[in-house]
Every structure is written in structure tokens, then in C-alpha cells.
Amino acid sequence: MDAFHTPEAEELHDEIIVDLHSLNKRLEEIDADFRKSDRIELVTLVLMCCSLMFGGCLALEHTLSIQAKANQEQLAWKR
């Protein structure tokens, strides 16, 4: 092992360490971007679901009001 401790080997070792450090830093940045995009996608999904549920509630309310009017008309005709 001691035979490989040359100045060139030490220089290459230092370059590899620097490259690994920069790659790890870039990997952390990519992971942070993925986490951010995941949060944005989840917020978008929640907003879409809420919008669809609200639209469904409005449609249900409209249908129930039509049925209530029809029931009132039927009761009025029976009297």
C-alpha cells in the first residue's frame, strides 16, 4: 500500500474527494427539488379534490332542491 503514496496518487485522491463532495452536494440539491415538487403536486391534488367535492356538493344541493320543489308540488296537488 505504501508503494502507491506518490504525489500524483495523492493529487488524484484529493480530486476524487472533491468530486465526491460536489456530487453529494448536487444530490442533496436534487433531493430537495424532488421534495419541493412532491409538495407542490400534493397541494395541487388536494386543491383539485376539494374543488371536485365542492362541485359535487353544489350538484347535490341543486338536485335536492329540485326534489323538494317536486315534493311540495305533489303535496299541494293532493290537498
Side-chain angles (χ1 to χ4, degrees), residues 3-71:
F4 295 107
H5 284 277
T6 62
E8 294 85 13
E10 290 293 324
E11 186 177 316
L12 287 173
H13 180 264
D14 292 341
E15 285 182 29
I16 290 171
I17 295 297
V18 169
D19 289 343
L20 284 175
H21 178 71
S22 64
L23 286 173
N24 282 333
K25 188 175 180 179
R26 180 66 183 136
L27 179 63
E28 289 172 3
E29 291 173 1
I30 290 170
D31 286 342
D33 289 343
F34 273 132
R35 284 191 299 273
K36 182 180 177 183
S37 68
D38 285 344
R39 283 192 303 261
I40 291 171
E41 288 174 3
L42 288 175
V43 168
T44 303
L45 181 65
V46 167
L47 289 174
M48 288 176 52
C49 289
C50 290
S51 176
L52 289 172
M53 288 183 352
F54 181 69
C57 289
L58 289 177
L60 179 63
E61 179 187 23
H62 181 69
T63 302
L64 290 176
S65 69
I66 290 173
Q67 283 182 340
K69 287 178 185 176
N71 288 342

Side-chain angles (χ1 to χ4, degrees), residues 1 31 78:
M1 230 24 192
D31 286 342
K78 286 183 181 178

